[in-house]
C-alpha cells in the first residue's frame, strides 16, 4: 500500500509572506520530485488576510488544518492595514502567540548564520566578522512575560496600572534547556545562558535548572552571561557564541540582534518545537510591508525554514541537506537578492532566486 501523504499546513499570511512562500513551494516541488516524496500542502488563512476574510487572525478552520498536519510552514503576519486594531486583535499577537500556545511550541530555534561570502552584508566591521559566524539562539517561547498571569491594566486613583508577570517553573526551563544541549551536541558543543541573575528571581531558577540539565550532557560546556552583556558581545564578537539559550523576552531581543549582525533578516529561518515532531517553521524577518508585492524580497529565509521542517518534523535530513546546499551553491555562485547584494552587484527578484534554488535542488537529484 502507498504510504499516506505527509500533510503540511501552509500559512502564507501577509506582506511578503505569499511571495516568499511561492518560491519555497517551488523548491519543495523540486525536492518532492527528486526524492519521490508524497506530500500534501494544505493552505489556510492567517493574520491580516484572515481578519479580512474571516474576521479573526486565527480562524478555527486554520487551527484544524494545523492539527491535521505534520508541520506548519508559516510565512509572516501583520502590516499597516491592521495596526489600528486593538492590540489583542492585531495579527502578530492574535495569530502567532495563540499558535505557539495551542501547539505547546516551547522551544524556538533561531540560527543566525553569516556566510563567509556575505561578510560585507553585516553592519559590523569586516574584521569583527571575518570568516562569518554560525550561532543558534534557543528561545523559550511559551512562558515568561509573554504569558505570565496577572497580565492586565487597571485604573488607579492617579491613572492606570499595568502589570506583566515573569514566571517560570522548573519543567519549563528543563525542557527547553534539553533542546539547547541536544542542539549543541551537533555543533561546537557550547551552551551559553543569557539571563539577569544579578536582578531576577526567575534567572536564579534558570541558572539552577540549566546547571542540573548540564550534568546529563558532560560533553557540552556551559557558561553564563548577563543578557545586557550578551547584547554587547553580539556586536563585538558574535563568533564567540555557539548556542545562546534565553528566556522568552531576552530571546526575542537577542535573536533580532543576532539576525541583524548576520546581515539580512531575509536569510534566517526558524523552528518552533514542542513535544514530538510537530513544529512551526517561519522566516525570522516578518512581513516587511515596505517591500511587499514588489517581488524583491529574499525568499531564502522561507526556503531554509522549509529545510528545517524536513529535518526536524519530517525526519528527512537528506532533503534538508539538498536544499541547504542548493542555497549555499547559489550564494557562492553570486546569486543575490537586493538585501544581500553589495554596491554595484547585480541582483535578482524573489521569483528568480526561488527558481534558481529549485533548479539546483532538481539537478542535485540527477547527480545521485
Ligand atoms: C517574534 C516576534 C513576535 C514575538 C511578535 C510578533 C509577537 O517579534 O517572533 O520574535 O515577540 O515573539
Ligand atoms: Mg521578535
Amino acid at each position: 500500500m502507498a504510504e499516506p501523504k505527509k500533510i503540511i499546513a501552509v500559512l502564507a499570511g501577509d506582506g511578503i509572506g505569499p511571495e516568499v512562500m511561492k518560491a519555497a513551494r517551488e523548491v519543495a516541488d523540486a525536492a518532492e520530485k527528486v526524492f519521490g516524496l508524497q506530500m500534501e500542502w494544505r493552505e489556510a488563512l492567517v493574520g491580516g488576510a484572515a481578519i479580512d476574510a474571516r474576521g479573526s487572525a486565527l480562524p478555527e478552520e486554520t487551527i484544524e488544518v494545523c492539527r491535521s498536519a505534520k508541520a506548519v510552514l508559516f510565512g509572516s503576519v501583520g502590516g499597516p492595514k491592521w495596526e489600528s486594531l486593538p492590540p489583542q486583535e492585531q495579527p502578530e499577537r492574535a495569530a502567532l502567540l495563540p499558535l505557539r500556545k495551542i501547539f505547546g511550541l516551547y522551544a524556538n530555534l533561531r540560527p543566525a548564520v553569516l556566510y563567509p561570502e556575505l561578510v560585507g552584508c553585516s553592519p559590523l566591521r569586516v574584521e569583527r566578522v571575518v570568516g562569518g559566524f554560525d550561532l543558534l539562539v534557543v528561545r523559550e517561547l511559551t512562558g515568561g512575560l509573554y504569558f505570565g498571569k496577572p497580565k492586565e491594566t487597571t485604573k488607579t486613583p492617579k491613572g492606570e496600572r499595568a502589570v506583566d508577570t515573569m514566571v517560570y517553573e522548573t519543567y519549563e526551563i528543563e525542557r527547553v534547556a534539553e533542546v539547547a544541549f541536544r542542539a549543541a551536541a551537533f555543533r561546537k558543543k557550547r551552551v551559553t545562558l543569557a539571563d539577569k541573575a544579578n536582578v531576577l528571581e526567575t534567572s536564579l531558577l534558570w541558572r539552577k535548572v540549566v546547571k542540573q540539565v548540564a550534568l546529563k550532557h558532560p560533553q557540552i560546556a556551559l557558561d553564563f552571561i548577563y543578557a545586557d552583556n550578551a547584547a554587547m558581545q553580539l556586536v563585538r564578537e558574535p563568533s564567540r557564541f555557539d548556542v545562546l539559550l534565553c528566556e522568552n523576552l531576552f530571546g526575542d531581543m537577542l535573536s533580532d540582534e543576532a539576525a541583524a549582525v548576520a546581515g539580512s533578516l531575509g536569510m534566517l529561518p526558524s523552528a518552533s518545537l514542542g513535544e514530538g515532531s510537530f513544529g512551526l517553521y517561519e522566516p525570522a524577518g516578518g512581513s516587511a510591508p515596505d517591500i511587499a508585492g514588489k517581488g524583491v524580497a529574499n525568499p531564502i529565509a522561507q526556503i531554509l525554514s522549509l529545510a528545517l521542517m524536513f529535518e526536524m518534523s519530517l525526519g528527512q535530513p537528506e532533503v534538508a541537506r539538498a536544499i541547504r546546499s542548493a542555497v549555499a551553491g547559489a550564494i557562492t555562485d553570486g546569486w543575490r537578492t537586493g538585501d544581500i547584494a553589495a554596491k554595484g552587484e547585480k541582483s535578482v527578484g524573489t521569483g528568480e532566486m526561488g527558481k534558481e534554488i529549485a533548479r539546483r535542488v532538481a539537478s542535485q537529484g540527477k547527480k545521485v
Side-chain angles (χ1 to χ4, degrees), residues 31 33-36 318 321-322 360-368:
K33 285 202 192 91
V34 169
F35 290 92
E318 70 288 0
R321 262 195 305 275
R360 284 169 186 260
V361 169
S363 71
Q364 280 181 39
K366 292 197 193 95
K367 270 181 255 157
V368 267

Side-chain angles (χ1 to χ4, degrees), residues 158-201:
K158 291 188 192 144
E160 286 179 287
R161 177 175 185 275
V163 53
D164 294 290
T165 304
M166 183 170 319
V167 50
Y168 274 106
E169 291 193 35
T170 307
Y171 78 94
E172 296 176 282
I173 303 169
E174 255 166 20
R175 62 191 186 179
V176 70
E178 258 312 316
V179 172
F181 281 96
R182 273 189 257 130
F186 294 98
R187 303 173 46 94
K188 282 172 256 145
K189 300 193 170 36
R190 207 170 72 243
V191 171
T192 303
L193 173 66
D195 63 22
K196 284 292 286 181
N198 47 352
V199 188
L200 300 177
E201 286 293 316

Side-chain angles (χ1 to χ4, degrees), residues 100 110 139 146 251-253 255-256 284:
R100 290 171 184 170
R110 300 189 164 182
R139 169 189 175 193
Y146 276 61
D252 179 45
M253 299 182 188
S255 63
D256 259 26

Side-chain angles (χ1 to χ4, degrees), residues 46-58 82 85 89-91 94:
V46 75
I51 294 178
D52 291 351
R54 297 278 189 280
S56 143
L58 187 64
W82 306 281
L85 289 173
E89 289 171 31
Q90 294 198 4

